[in-house]
Amino acid sequence: MPEDASVERVGTADPERVEAARREAAGADRVIVKAGTNSLTDADSRLDRVKLDKLVADVMDLRERGTEVVLVSSGAVGAGTGRLDVGPESRDGVDSIAESQALSTVGQGLLMRHYTQSFERFDQDVAQILVTGTDLDAPERFDNFTNTVEKLLSWGVVPVVNENDAVATDELRIGDNDMLSASIAIGLDADLLVTLTDVDGVYTGNPKRDADAELIEAVDDGYERLREIVGDGTATDFGGIRTKVEGAHDVSRNGIPAIIAGSAERDVLARIVAGKPTGTLFVPETGDDDE
Ligand code: GLU
C-alpha cells in the first residue's frame, strides 16, 4: 500500500477509458494549443527563438494533417520585460500591474513578429486576436470572437490569441491564459485542448523539488484529490500548474479531452495525434458518467 493511497488513486484511471480518450485526442479535427511564457522565453526573459520555432514546427505537424489549430500564446509581458529591462519590480503592487500591462504591449508586437516569421517558413498565415475574459463572457462579443475565428480557420489561418493585457484591469494574473484557453476550447467546440508547459505533465509533487514525484498519466474521477495535491503548489511563478489543471478539468467536464504536456518534448503534438501516451491526459466526461 503506498504511503498516501489517495495519491495513487489520482493515477488509476480505467485503462479502457484512458485508451478511448487517447484515440479521441488523436482524431481531433480542431485543437486549441496553449503555450506558456516559460515555453517561449529564456532565463533573461527574452523571447527564445529556438523554443518558439519548435512550437511552430509542432503546430505545423497538426496543420499538415489538416487539423485546425488555435494557438493561445502567453509571453507578451515576459518578452516586454526582457526587451526593456524596466521591471516589474514587484508583482504585487498597483505599479507593477500598470508596468506589466505596458510591458505586454511592447512584448506582444515582438511575439507576433517572431510568430509571423517562424510560420512563414511553412507558408502558414497567422492572425493576432487579443481578448479579455469580459469579452468572452459578453454574448455579443463572444459571438464576434467565434465568427472571426471560424472565418480564419476556414481560410486555413492559425489564430494566435492572447489576453488583451493592456485593458484587462483586474486580470493579468498568472494562469489567465490557462482559463482563457479552456473557455475558448469549450466555446469553439474544440476536440482537444493541449496545454504546453515547462514540465512534461502533472506530477504527484513538484518535480523541480521532489525527486520522488511521479508523472500522473491520466486523470479521470480522481480530480478532487489532484486539486489537493496541486492546490498549494506553484501559483506564484508564471507557469503554475494549478490553473492548468483547473483549465484541463473544465474542458474535460465539457466532454473534451485535455492534455498537459511538456513543450520541450520532441514532436509533442505529433505524438499526441499519433495516440502515444504523452503528458497527463484528462479523460473527458461523457453523458453516461455519474456526476
Ligand atoms: N497574457 C500574459 C502574457 O502574455 C500571460 C498570462 C498567463 O501567463 O496566463 O504575458
Side-chain angles (χ1 to χ4, degrees), residues 34-37 73-79 100 104 108 111 162-165 172-180 238-239 243-244:
K34 189 261 166 183
T37 300
S73 174
S74 301
V77 177
S100 294
S104 77
Q108 183 64 27
L111 196 57
N162 195 359
E163 183 159 63
N164 191 352
D165 294 325
L172 197 63
R173 277 187 311 252
I174 302 119
D176 287 346
N177 276 354
D178 296 324
M179 304 325 288
L180 201 67
F238 264 37
T243 47
K244 292 174 181 53

Side-chain angles (χ1 to χ4, degrees), residues 33-36 39 55 194-198 244 259 261-263 268-269:
V33 177
K34 189 261 166 183
S39 302
L55 169 67
V194 182
T195 303
L196 295 175
T197 182
D198 61 345
K244 292 174 181 53
I259 294 173
S263 56
V268 61
L269 299 179

Side-chain angles (χ1 to χ4, degrees), residues 91-170:
R91 290 207 176 273
D92 302 326
V94 172
D95 280 354
S96 92
I97 291 183
E99 271 180 7
S100 294
Q101 289 180 304
L103 286 167
S104 77
T105 64
V106 174
Q108 183 64 27
L110 297 171
L111 196 57
M112 285 314 296
R113 182 180 68 182
H114 277 50
Y115 276 129
T116 304
Q117 288 174 348
S118 189
F119 274 106
E120 257 166 17
R121 296 176 301 153
F122 303 91
D123 265 335
Q124 173 64 58
D125 287 311
V126 295
Q128 170 189 264
I129 307 181
L130 300 179
V131 284
T132 62
T134 319
D135 294 327
L136 299 185
D137 289 342
E140 198 186 333
R141 282 169 172 261
F142 186 70
D143 273 358
N144 292 338
F145 170 78
T146 50
N147 291 342
T148 299
V149 174
E150 291 291 351
K151 189 51 84 182
L152 289 167
L153 293 176
S154 77
W155 290 337
V157 174
V158 172
V160 182
V161 182
N162 195 359
E163 183 159 63
N164 191 352
D165 294 325
V167 300
T169 22
D170 280 342

Side-chain angles (χ1 to χ4, degrees), residues 21-89:
R22 254 185 211 131
R23 276 199 305 274
E24 201 181 325
D29 292 322
R30 177 172 291 185
V31 181
I32 312 301
V33 177
K34 189 261 166 183
T37 300
N38 288 341
S39 302
L40 299 167
T41 53
D42 63 20
D44 298 322
S45 198
R46 296 214 164 76
L47 274 182
D48 185 325
R49 186 89 209 197
V50 173
K51 288 183 181 175
L52 197 132
D53 282 350
K54 185 211 179 275
L55 169 67
V56 167
D58 286 332
V59 167
M60 288 310 297
D61 284 340
L62 302 187
R63 289 293 303 132
E64 276 154 14
R65 64 195 274 286
T67 308
E68 296 175 334
V69 181
V70 176
L71 180 59
V72 178
S73 174
S74 301
V77 177
T81 306
R83 178 69 169 226
L84 289 194
D85 206 19
V86 292
E89 276 161 20

